[in-house]
Every structure is written in C-alpha cells, then in structure tokens.
C-alpha cells in the first residue's frame, strides 16, 4: 500500500486547513486515501470539439476552440460582460453576469482558448453563459481526460468555492504526489482469470479516463474488488462461526417428529418444505450452531417448518422458543402452533407484554424446570427474568425488526447458544440477501401448498367504482367476505382518519343493514376494541372489514376472498404484496382489486403493473429493489452494511455473483489465506476488520 495515502488531507498541495476541514465535514475525506476513493458520479464526454457552424439548439454541453475578438459591457442596471468569440466558421457570444472585473483583467484577446458550457441560441446567435475556459496551450498539457469526471458535491462545498474543477485539480495533485503507485491486493490467479486491469490503471482511469473502454474496465475492476471484499468478510464470518460457536448436536429424529409427520400433518408437505426441513435437520445435527434464514412467501407454509424444527429440539431433550415482533403476530403463531401440536400433548405457552403477573410466574417456573416445552412471545422473552432449563432452538419471525443485540440476548440464556432459525415473509431479492445476510445460510420455500389458486389481481380507476361494488355484492351473496383497506401515512394521520371515516360511511350507505354488516379497525381504537372487531369478522358475523394497514400482518380468515386496496398508488410494492396475501387462504378463487385515481406517477404505474402481472414475491421484491434501492428496503439501520462507494447491488448483480463465487472458491482452497500469493490479500483483509470503509485498506 502506498504509505502516502495515510497523510492527512490538509497536507495536499492546494488543500490546506480550511479546505481540509470542509472536505472532512462534507464528504468524510480525512486522508489522501479517502480522496483517492472519492469516485465520480458521472462523466461528460469532452472527446469532441465542435465548430460554431455545427452547433444545434439542443441544450447540450459542448466545447469549442477559438479566439476572443473583443469585450464589452452591456446594459445599465444588470450589466453583463459580453465577449465575441470566433473560430473561423462563425461567431458566438460568451456572457458573464458575475465576476466581471476578474474576467476583464485576466482574459487575453486573440489568443486560442478552449471554452466549454451550454450553448443556447438567442436571436439567431449562439451564446454561452459563464463558460469554463482554458488556454489551448494549457489544455493540451493538463492531466485532464477526454471523459471529464463529475464528483459528488454538496451545497456548502459549492458555496465555499470547492467546485468540480477544484476537486479535479487536487485529484491531479494527489496522483502527482503519490506517483500513481498503488499496490494490487487481489490474488494474481483472479486477476489473470478475469483479465482485470492493474490496480494503478484502474484508479487512474476512474479519475482520468483515457477512453470510454478503459473507463468501463476500471469501473468493473473496482466494483469487483469492493464486492469481493464484502463477500470475503461475510463468508469468513460464517466459517468462523461454524468452527468456533459450538452448537447442540440433535442427532436423533424421535417420536414427536415422526408421530407428527406420519399421523398429524394437516396436508402433504410441498417439495420445497421437504427440502428446507432436510437442510435444517442437517444443520442441527452438526456440532456447530445453526444460523439459517428461512424465506417463504405469504402462505407458503413456514409455520409447519418451524414446528417440525422445534419438534426435533424437543425429541433431543431441549426446549424451543418463537419470537415475533408484535402481539398480534405472536398470538397468531400461538393459536396456529397450539392447534397443530394439540394431539402431541406438548406444553406450549405464550408470553407477551399483556400476560398477567400470575401467569408469568407459572411460565417462568415451568421454563426453568423444563416442564414448558415451547414458548411463543414478543420482546418479553428477552427479559432477564426469563430463564430456560435448556433452550435448543430459537425461531425468530420477521428478522429485520429485531436488532443484533436483541438476538444475542437470547443466546446468552445458555452456556451453549441455541440453534437459530430466522423467518421472513418479506421475500428478499437474492442480491440483497447475499449482501445483507451473506453470513447466514439461506433456505427458500418457493412453492405454495397444493390446492391454492393464484389470486387474481386487477387495477381499477375510481370511475369504475360502481362495477367494483356490484362485484363485491356478488361475492358476499356467495357467502364470501371482503377487506377494504385504506392507506395510513403517519404525517397526515388526521387526513387519513378522515379518508377512512368518509370511506366507512359511504360503504355503510352502499352496503346497508340488515343485508350487510360492516366492521372497522384503525389505529385510534383500543386494542380490546380492535380484537373484538377482528374476532367478529373472523367468525363471519360481518361481511366487510374496513381497515387501515393494521391487518397487513396477522389476520387469518380463510373465508375472506376479496381484498380492495384504496389509493393503491400510496402503498409500496412489498406492502401491496403483503396485503394481497391476506386473501387466498381458503379453497375459493380470491381477488385483489387496487383502486386509484387517474393521475399516476411512472413508479406507481410500474408497481401496479407488477402486482397484476405476478404473484411471485421474489420477482416483486426484485422490482421493488430497482425502484427504491437497497437502503430504503432494509431501513436505515441495516443499509449501513451497503455503504458502497462504487458498486451498486441492483445494477451490478452479475458482478456481485461473480465476486461471491470467487470469494467462496478462494476460501475453500485457502481459508486462513496462508499461501504466499495471498499475503497482500491477507494483510488488507486484517486491516479491513479494523476499519469501517473498505477502500481504506485495499489500495
């Protein structure tokens, strides 16, 4: 590594203390190395020089070589400085509204200049306001490349005069001082197999591209390296965990598991469920702790897989727990699992914030004595009072709502940590899963149980409302039930509440008593009121449930066959998909109707079209990732992992897969990185563990 890269940025010629301070605060640039890895956002092609006679009025940025013939000040109040600029094929005007005194004193008449800027036609003549100017003699000597880089900036930097031109200049100085010597840390075998350009050439061409081709090769090389190091880190973490963190060996498949599988399964397992159970059984039979992510779409049968995994723990003399993010969800798991496990005679209880003190005392005692086999609960399970006799498996539902610290609290309840199975019903695109959960083993249930009919999804405008209402009446006449969901966006809660109440009133008018009965559930109701309304709907006492998105997770009413989503354009894709998953739980054909106004943004159109086209949660998640970007999808807490400087996990999916493939292959061949040809990589990798930003250590 070039030692100079550790030098504080203010020592670079042209920076100094004031600019150094700004660069630190605004862009996080502390040292030479940080500046080197400030990669351009985009490039302007300056390979071409235009003649004035060829200019078109298309608002494009162009560069022209010519001479200034004369200078004059025009106008009284808002005076501007105007120069006549000629290149022999025609004339144009250069205009300045600011900095006129400096221009007047420094400009040379009849000397060749290269001017660059937007040329616009006015009264039959082209003009260019505040052009970038350079003497042709200097232009020909500078390090500036034909493809001109545009660097990330902030308002403050522009105000303080640190323009793109200034950044470009200090970047040239950086390459001059370091003599552009940067060491390669990737193994020679990978460099030759992928025909990567050398690190020096990649860094030079990212800042001063010699040609579009070299720029593309430089980008590929640096993106690959960034993603390769992230994957190396994740996979190593996984390998270390498997070697270091001992786990309980569940070596027998006993009576509970077999009895349930042979006699009490409510339906035959799908191929995907069988495959996933096999993966889990294999993991739990090893002397290392299992850490598996189970992804399955809404209704794909994750609960059965979770129960069968718990039965394996019970068969081996251990307890199991399931932790859910909300009481509604914990209750639903409790009801579902109790029904399934009833014939097996095992002791299952639930612990949430609203569990009564007397019940809590019994639960605590039974957990410590081992009389309680399975406990289901919310964050309440993490309290210090909750102690297990021997926790063998922890199932965590909707992983992204629990932080790492919370999960590790569960681990500390035993000398040997339990096996961990993380479940999510929000399909995560493969690229995102590889980057966020690359250290977990991933299982996917990618087929729905037999007999499930795909939900028919349509988009209707408000003007079709009468037809939609007629359709709802026909469905209700068949004995079915309907959800009508209104958006809830926190900032405008009063407006949303008004929308919901207006909607509720008009629905009550259109579906009057005694023929119809309408329930309502929203955030302003007491939990007990909500529960009783939900219960009435679940028992079939009301035909229509009008609600805000509180029903997104949790309600299971197999008889509900229609989901109407009002103002569907205000929902994100994953929300729409989750809402749709509330219907289609019975044997009847189910429908999802997305209602919107006429005016729709392009993104909204894409979301609605995607929903109508496919029921596949993974495909939907891919589109969502493209629309929103990784940070948004995982929430800010976890997007930190993806603070990438040059790669983009959406656009660079192929490079990510390639990087992961090579990282796995390398670690299979030489996990400790002890081979002489991996020395530089090993050093960079160790340094990387100490710092947050990858680029600090791979130059």
């Amino acid at each position: 590594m070039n030692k100079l890269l550790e030098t504080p940025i203010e020592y670079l010629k042209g920076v100094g203390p004031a600019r150094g301070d700004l660069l630190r605060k605004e862009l996080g640039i502390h040292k030479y190395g940080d500046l080197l890895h400030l990669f351009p956002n985009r490039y302007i092609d300056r390979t071409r020089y235009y003649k004035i006679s060829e200019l078109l009025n298309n608002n494009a940025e162009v560069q022209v070589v010519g001479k200034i013939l004369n200078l004059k000040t025009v106008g009284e109040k808002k005076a501007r400085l105007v120069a006549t600029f000629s290149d022999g094929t025609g004339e144009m005007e250069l205009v300045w509204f600011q900095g006129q005194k400096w221009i007047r004193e420094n400009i040379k008449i009849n000397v060749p200049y290269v001017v660059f800027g937007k040329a616009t036609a006015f009264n039959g003549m082209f003009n260019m306001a505040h052009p970038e100017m350079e003497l042709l003699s200097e232009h020909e000597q500078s390090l500036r490349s034909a493809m001109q880089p545009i660097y990330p900036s902030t308002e403050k930097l522009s105000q303080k005069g640190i323009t793109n031109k200034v950044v470009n200049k200090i970047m040239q100085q950086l390459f001059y001082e370091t003599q552009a010597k940067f060491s390669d840390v990737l193994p020679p075998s990978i460099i030759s197999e992928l025909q990567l350009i050398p690190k020096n050439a990649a860094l030079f061409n990212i800042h001063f591209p010699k040609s579009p081709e070299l720029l593309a090769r430089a980008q590929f090389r640096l993106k690959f390296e960034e993603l390769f190091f992230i994957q190396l880190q994740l996979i190593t973490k996984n390998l270390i965990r498997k070697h270091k963190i001992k786990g309980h060996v569940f070596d027998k498949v006993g009576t509970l598991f077999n009895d349930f599988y042979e006699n009490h399964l409510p339906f035959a397992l799908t191929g995907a469920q069988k495959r996933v159970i096999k993966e889990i059984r294999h993991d739990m039979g090893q002397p290392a702790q299992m850490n598996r992510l189970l992804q399955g779409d809404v209704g794909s049968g994750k609960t059965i897989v979770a129960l069968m995994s718990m039965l394996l723990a019970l068969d081996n003399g251990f307890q199991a727990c399931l932790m859910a993010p909300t009481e509604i969800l914990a209750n639903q798991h409790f009801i579902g699992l109790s029904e399934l496990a009833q014939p097996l005679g095992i002791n299952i209880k639930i612990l949430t914030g609203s569990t009564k003190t007397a019940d809590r005392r019994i639960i605590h005692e039974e957990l410590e004595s081992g009389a309680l086999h399975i406990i289901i609960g919310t964050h309440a399970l993490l309290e210090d009072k909750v102690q297990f006799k021997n926790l063998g498996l922890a199932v965590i539902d909707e992983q992204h709502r629990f932080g790492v610290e919370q999960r590790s609290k569960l681990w500390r309840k035993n000398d040997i940590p339990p096996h961990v199975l993380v479940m999510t019903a929000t399909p995560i695109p493969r690229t995102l899963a590889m980057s966020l959960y690359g250290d977990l083993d991933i299982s996917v249930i990618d087929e729905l149980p037999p007999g499930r009919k795909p939900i028919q999804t349509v988009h209707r405008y408000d003007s079709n409302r009468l037809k939609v209402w007629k359709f709802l009446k026909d469905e209700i006449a068949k004995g079915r039930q309907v959800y009508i969901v209104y958006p809830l966006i926190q900032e405008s809660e009063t407006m949303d509440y008004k929308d919901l109440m207006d909607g509720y009133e008009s629905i009550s008018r259109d579906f009057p008593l005694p023929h119809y009965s309408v329930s309502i559930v929203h955030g302003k109701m007491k939990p007990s009121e909500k529960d009783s309304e939900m219960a009435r709907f679940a028992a079939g006492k009301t035909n229509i449930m009008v609600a805000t998105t509180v029903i997104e997770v949790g309600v299971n009413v197999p008889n509900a066959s229609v989901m109407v989503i009002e103002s569907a354009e205000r929902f994100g894709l994953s929300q729409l998909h989750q809402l749709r998953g509330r219907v289609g739980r019975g044997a009847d054909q189910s429908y999802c109707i997305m209602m919107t106004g006429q005016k729709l943004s392009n993104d909204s159109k894409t979301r609605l079209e995607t929903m109508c086209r496919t029921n596949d949660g993974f495909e939907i998640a891919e589109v969502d990732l493209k629309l929103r970007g990784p940070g948004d999808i995982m929430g800010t807490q976890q997007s930190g992992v993806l603070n990438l400087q040059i790669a983009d996990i959406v656009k660079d999916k192929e490079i990510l897969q390639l990087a992961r493939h090579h990282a796995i292959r390398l670690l299979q061949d030489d996990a400790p990185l002890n081979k002489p040809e991996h020395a530089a990589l090993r050093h960079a990798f160790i340094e990387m563990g100490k710092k947050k930003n990858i680029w600090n250590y791979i130059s």
Side-chain angles (χ1 to χ4, degrees):
M1 181 163 167
N2 195 318
K3 288 278 185 292
L4 277 171
L5 294 181
E6 292 297 310
T7 315
I9 195 66
E10 54 269 30
Y11 292 108
L12 184 65
K13 189 179 169 195
V15 178
R19 279 182 172 177
D21 198 42
L22 267 171
L23 289 171
R24 248 195 306 279
K25 284 183 185 143
E26 295 296 299
L27 296 174
I29 293 172
H30 298 263
K31 303 187 287 227
Y32 281 23
D34 298 327
L35 179 65
L36 180 65
H37 299 112
L38 176 72
F39 298 124
N41 288 336
R42 58 191 178 91
Y43 298 82
I44 293 173
D45 184 358
R46 293 187 68 165
T47 45
R48 180 151 182 215
Y49 298 90
Y50 285 81
K51 299 267 181 264
I52 293 175
S53 59
E54 311 173 321
L55 293 179
L56 299 169
N57 195 18
N58 60 1
N59 222 12
E61 293 181 302
V62 294
Q63 57 185 355
V64 185
V65 183
K67 297 175 182 177
I68 290 176
L69 306 179
N70 57 52
L71 270 174
K72 57 178 189 274
T73 304
V74 179
E76 296 278 311
K77 269 189 179 166
K78 287 192 173 173
R80 58 188 190 277
L81 187 63
V82 178
T84 307
F85 186 78
S86 165
D87 72 346
T89 72
E91 289 183 358
M92 65 189 280
E93 289 184 337
L94 309 179
V95 186
W96 293 269
F97 299 95
Q98 281 135 359
Q100 299 178 21
K101 183 170 178 285
W102 189 88
I103 300 277
R104 204 175 256 291
E105 287 168 5
N106 288 283
I107 214 103
K108 296 179 166 64
I109 305 282
N110 275 323
V111 175
Y113 275 100
V114 177
V115 300
F116 175 79
K118 262 188 191 163
T120 38
F122 185 68
N123 285 342
M125 189 172 193
F126 278 93
N127 66 48
M128 197 181 274
H130 289 272
E132 279 184 36
M133 297 185 66
E134 204 174 10
L135 288 166
L136 182 62
S137 53
E138 285 177 14
H139 178 80
E140 285 166 346
Q141 283 173 346
S142 78
L143 232 187
R144 159 122 16 107
S145 65
M147 307 285 294
Q148 195 165 333
I150 305 295
Y151 289 96
S153 186
T154 66
E155 212 172 311
K156 202 156 195 184
L157 288 176
S158 315
Q159 284 169 357
K160 300 280 184 189
I162 302 184
T163 58
N164 198 61
K165 200 171 177 180
V166 169
V167 176
N168 208 301
K169 224 171 179 109
I170 60 176
M171 198 65 83
Q172 291 187 34
Q173 182 62 28
L174 176 75
F175 273 77
Y176 174 71
E177 286 188 27
T178 55
Q179 297 181 326
K181 288 200 170 90
F182 310 111
S183 50
D184 256 306
V185 296
L186 286 179
S189 56
I190 292 181
I191 293 175
S192 68
E193 187 181 335
L194 296 175
Q195 297 182 328
L196 299 173
I197 61 172
K199 186 62 170 281
N200 287 346
L203 284 165
F204 186 85
N205 279 286
I206 206 85
H207 294 293
F208 312 106
K210 288 264 198 280
S211 69
E213 293 71 37
L214 275 166
L215 171 63
R217 293 192 66 188
Q219 286 172 327
F220 183 86
R221 158 79 207 234
L222 296 172
K223 285 174 176 184
F224 176 85
E225 194 156 328
E226 182 167 53
L227 294 167
F228 176 77
F229 268 86
I230 287 177
Q231 292 303 323
L232 207 57
Q233 204 177 24
L234 289 166
I235 298 157
T236 306
K237 206 162 120 187
N238 193 353
L239 289 172
I240 290 172
R241 209 194 55 249
K242 284 181 177 164
H243 286 293
K244 280 205 177 149
I245 303 182
K246 295 288 166 262
H248 304 290
V249 181
F250 296 171
D251 48 9
K252 70 168 192 243
V253 177
T255 40
L256 286 171
F257 185 94
N258 286 328
D259 181 22
F260 180 75
Y261 184 67
E262 284 156 21
N263 307 316
H264 306 295
L265 259 181
F267 45 75
L269 295 179
T270 61
Q273 283 172 315
K274 285 181 183 164
R275 183 187 71 239
V276 168
I277 289 170
K278 205 169 170 181
E279 290 167 350
I280 292 169
R281 263 177 55 180
H282 172 265
D283 278 6
M284 299 204 296
Q286 306 297 312
Q289 183 209 27
M290 168 172 86
N291 213 9
R292 201 167 262 287
L293 174 69
L294 173 60
Q295 285 189 266
D297 219 334
V298 191
S300 59
K302 293 185 294 296
T303 314
I304 289 258
V305 171
L307 176 64
M308 292 178 77
S309 310
M310 289 174 172
L311 295 178
L312 278 172
L314 271 53
D315 274 336
N316 284 275
F318 287 89
Q319 295 163 298
C321 74
L322 187 154
M323 191 161 85
T326 62
E327 285 205 18
I328 289 187
L329 213 48
N331 272 310
Q332 197 179 325
H333 280 304
F334 177 62
I335 294 162
L337 290 172
S338 302
E339 271 174 29
L340 288 169
Q342 192 194 359
L344 303 172
I346 51 186
N347 186 0
I348 299 187
K349 290 208 164 90
I350 181 165
L351 178 65
T352 66
S354 49
T355 306
K356 294 187 174 67
T357 316
D359 296 338
R360 267 171 202 266
R361 205 169 294 125
I362 297 168
I363 288 172
H364 291 161
E365 284 166 12
E366 289 190 351
L367 274 179
E368 284 187 59
S369 72
L372 183 51
H373 304 124
I374 295 177
I375 179 87
I376 290 162
T378 53
H379 295 76
L381 294 179
L382 301 173
E383 291 165 8
D384 294 336
K385 285 197 205 79
V386 179
Q387 292 298 330
F388 293 82
K389 182 182 182 199
N390 53 359
L391 179 62
L393 170 67
V395 181
I396 298 169
D397 196 18
E398 290 302 340
Q399 140 88 12
H400 56 274
R401 307 196 194 183
F402 290 107
V404 180
E405 297 82 35
Q406 292 173 312
R407 293 203 306 275
S408 58
K409 264 189 176 172
L410 265 181
W411 286 22
R412 292 191 213 110
K413 294 186 185 281
N414 278 33
D415 301 335
I416 293 185
H419 293 295
V420 176
L421 181 66
V422 166
M423 301 200 297
T424 173
T426 314
I428 302 159
R430 215 169 142 239
T431 44
L432 199 54
M434 282 195 299
S435 312
L436 280 172
Y437 302 122
D439 59 327
L440 272 73
D441 298 304
I442 298 178
S443 289
V444 178
I445 304 182
D446 48 13
E447 56 183 303
L448 289 180
R452 282 275 173 100
K453 297 190 177 116
I455 300 162
Q456 284 189 19
T457 306
V458 293
H459 167 215
R460 295 286 180 261
Y461 292 105
D462 289 334
S463 49
N464 302 76
R465 194 170 290 280
L466 288 174
K467 276 188 183 164
V468 173
W469 271 194
K470 167 147 186 358
F471 175 73
L472 299 188
K473 286 177 176 169
D474 292 347
E475 283 295 294
I476 293 169
K478 293 179 194 164
R480 315 265 194 273
Q481 288 166 282
V482 177
Y483 291 109
I484 300 180
V485 177
Y486 283 81
L488 176 67
I489 298 170
Q490 296 307 317
E491 299 91 79
S492 59
E493 212 169 278
T494 45
M495 185 179 104
D496 285 325
Y497 184 65
K498 185 177 170 301
D499 281 355
L500 177 77
M501 295 323 275
D502 288 352
Y504 175 63
E505 280 169 24
S506 74
I507 290 161
S508 301
R509 276 198 305 274
D510 293 333
F511 295 85
L513 288 159
H515 304 293
Y516 302 99
S517 173
V518 183
S519 286
I520 182 165
V521 174
H522 57 79
K524 295 196 175 180
M525 292 164 78
K526 292 193 183 88
S528 57
E529 293 171 358
K530 269 190 219 173
D531 291 345
S532 78
E533 282 289 283
M534 295 267 201
R536 282 178 63 210
F537 185 66
K541 289 181 181 152
T542 57
N543 318 100
I544 298 176
M545 160 73 79
V546 177
T548 51
T549 41
V550 287
I551 62 159
E552 187 179 334
V553 283
V555 207
N556 189 5
V557 182
N559 190 45
S561 65
V562 187
M563 167 64 70
V564 179
I565 304 173
E566 293 284 355
S567 306
E569 73 277 12
R570 284 170 65 184
F571 289 91
L573 251 182
S574 62
Q575 248 186 332
L576 289 170
H577 181 62
Q578 289 286 338
L579 284 170
R580 172 167 65 185
R582 295 292 113 218
V583 295
R585 293 175 166 248
D588 304 310
Q589 175 62 60
S590 290
Y591 305 89
C592 173
I593 303 168
M594 300 180 293
M595 305 291 296
T596 70
Q598 293 289 341
K599 275 192 183 162
L600 294 173
S601 68
N602 285 339
D603 278 5
S604 298
K605 282 180 190 155
T606 306
R607 288 199 293 267
L608 298 168
E609 280 161 13
T610 306
M611 287 292 294
C612 293
R613 186 185 75 243
T614 178
N615 277 296
D616 177 348
F618 288 92
E619 195 182 329
I620 288 168
E622 288 284 351
V623 178
D624 201 20
L625 182 61
K626 281 192 185 120
L627 289 175
R628 293 197 293 157
D632 263 5
I633 286 194
M634 297 320 291
T636 43
Q637 320 82 335
Q638 288 187 331
S639 60
V641 188
L642 299 175
N643 230 333
L644 299 174
Q645 288 199 270
I646 187 162
D648 173 320
I649 67 162
V650 183
K651 298 186 186 117
D652 302 319
K653 202 154 77 173
E654 283 76 22
I655 306 179
L656 171 64
Q657 284 167 346
L658 191 68
R660 186 168 175 87
H661 165 75
H662 281 280
I664 290 171
R665 213 170 70 178
L666 179 88
L667 291 169
Q668 279 169 345
D669 168 50
D670 178 23
L673 303 178
N674 282 336
K675 291 189 173 177
E677 64 268 30
H678 296 154
L681 179 68
R682 182 187 163 90
H683 175 73
F685 190 62
I686 291 168
E687 285 301 304
M688 174 178 175
K690 302 175 189 170
K691 298 174 184 158
K692 282 280 185 282
N693 176 353
I694 290 183
W695 289 109
N696 289 343
Y697 26 70
I698 56 177
S699 285

